[in-house]
């Protein structure tokens, strides 16, 4: 626990750099662009969905660009050897840093709501607070799990930046952030359903509607299940990758 808390504090200090807050800085621009499209198309009723989309994009970017580089960043700095040799658990360090980044990324929701309200007078109203809070918690857990998987993957990937750039826009589409999954081509929908963000995005949208949220518990459970699966896969990959670079003598090779 001490290692985890130390990692949380360290990551909070690291996030003071503007470069790591790039996703939060661009949230107002994404919100302006997406809400403008809805309003200009005469569908102001869909403007709250654009607010959700801008938030999902920001949270995903923070996980991909900041949390995903937790281990590879240590490797580039030449500090990964000391981190692995230290008594503290590497897993606790990665978990503490990814949790901090994910929690900070949720500030994008407040940013997006504020911009939509000040500029367009749009105020998304949550109709089902319990489901909404449960979805945010489940999404946070799932995002941490996915970021942990990225952290392991990027240690081996010499071109991590290429992966990061490649995984941005396809996930904007598959997550249903901009276009609901139900409106995607039928052949693409099964692929979108294995991504936790598509379930989370649909749930958040449903929480803004007056109608009851169908199968809320089951859908929140799916988000949690996919997140836990990604976390376990990430831990396994991280363990195997660290053992491999130890055996190859490439721990500090970046």
């Amino acid at each position: 626990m001490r290692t985890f808390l130390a990692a949380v504090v360290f990551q909070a200090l690291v996030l003071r750099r503007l470069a790591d807050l790039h996703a939060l800085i661009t949230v107002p621009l994404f919100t302006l662009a997406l809400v403008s499209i809805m309003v200009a198309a005469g569908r102001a009723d869909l403007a709250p969905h654009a607010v959700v989309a801008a938030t999902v994009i920001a949270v995903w970017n923070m996980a991909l660009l900041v949390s995903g580089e937790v281990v590879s960043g240590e490797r580039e700095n030449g500090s990964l050897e000391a981190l692995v040799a230290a008594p503290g658990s590497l897993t606790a360090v990665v978990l503490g840093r990814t949790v901090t980044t994910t929690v900070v990324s949720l500030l994008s929701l407040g940013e997006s709501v504020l911009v939509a309200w000040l500029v367009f007078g749009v105020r998304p109203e949550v109709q089902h607070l319990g489901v909404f809070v449960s979805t945010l918690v489940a999404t946070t857990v799932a995002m941490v799990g996915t970021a942990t998987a990225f952290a392991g993957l990027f240690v081996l990937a010499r071109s991590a930046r290429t992966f990061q750039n490649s995984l941005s826009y396809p996930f904007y589409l598959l997550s249903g952030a901009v276009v609901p999954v139900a409106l995607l081509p039928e052949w693409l929908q099964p692929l979108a359903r294995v991504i936790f963000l598509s379930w989370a995005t649909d749930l958040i949208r449903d929480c803004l509607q007056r109608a009851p949220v169908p199968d809320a518990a089951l859908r929140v459970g799916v988000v949690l299940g996919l997140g836990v699966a990604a976390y376990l896969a990430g831990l396994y990959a991280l363990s195997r990758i660290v053992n491999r670079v130890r055996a190859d003598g490439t721990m500090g090779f970046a």
Side-chain angles (χ1 to χ4, degrees), residues 131-173:
V131 179
F132 181 75
V133 172
S134 300
T135 302
L136 286 186
V137 172
T139 303
T140 302
V141 172
M143 191 62 78
V144 169
T146 305
T148 303
F150 286 149
L153 175 65
F154 291 166
V155 175
L156 282 184
R158 297 181 182 179
S159 54
R161 193 69 64 187
T162 302
F163 278 98
Q164 290 168 318
N165 292 333
S166 302
L167 290 175
S168 296
Y169 290 98
F171 272 78
Y172 296 163
L173 180 65

Side-chain angles (χ1 to χ4, degrees), residues 152-235:
L153 175 65
F154 291 166
V155 175
L156 282 184
R158 297 181 182 179
S159 54
R161 193 69 64 187
T162 302
F163 278 98
Q164 290 168 318
N165 292 333
S166 302
L167 290 175
S168 296
Y169 290 98
F171 272 78
Y172 296 163
L173 180 65
L174 293 175
S175 68
V178 180
V179 179
V181 173
L183 299 181
L184 295 177
E186 290 186 4
W187 62 269
L188 202 55
Q189 293 182 19
L191 182 58
R193 285 308 180 192
V194 298
I195 299 172
F196 78 91
L197 269 179
S198 66
W199 295 84
T201 305
D202 283 347
L203 269 168
I204 293 173
R205 284 199 191 100
D206 287 352
C207 289
L208 303 180
Q209 308 298 325
R210 292 187 181 277
V213 180
D215 302 321
L218 174 63
R219 293 160 69 188
V220 171
V222 171
V223 175
L224 276 174
L226 290 173
V228 170
Y231 179 67
L232 294 177
L235 288 185

Side-chain angles (χ1 to χ4, degrees), residues 14 22 26 28 35 88 103 121 123 125 129 152 163-164 205 229 235:
V14 168
H22 175 266
T26 58
V35 176
V103 170
R123 288 186 296 178
E125 296 183 5
L129 184 59
F163 278 98
Q164 290 168 318
R205 284 199 191 100
L235 288 185

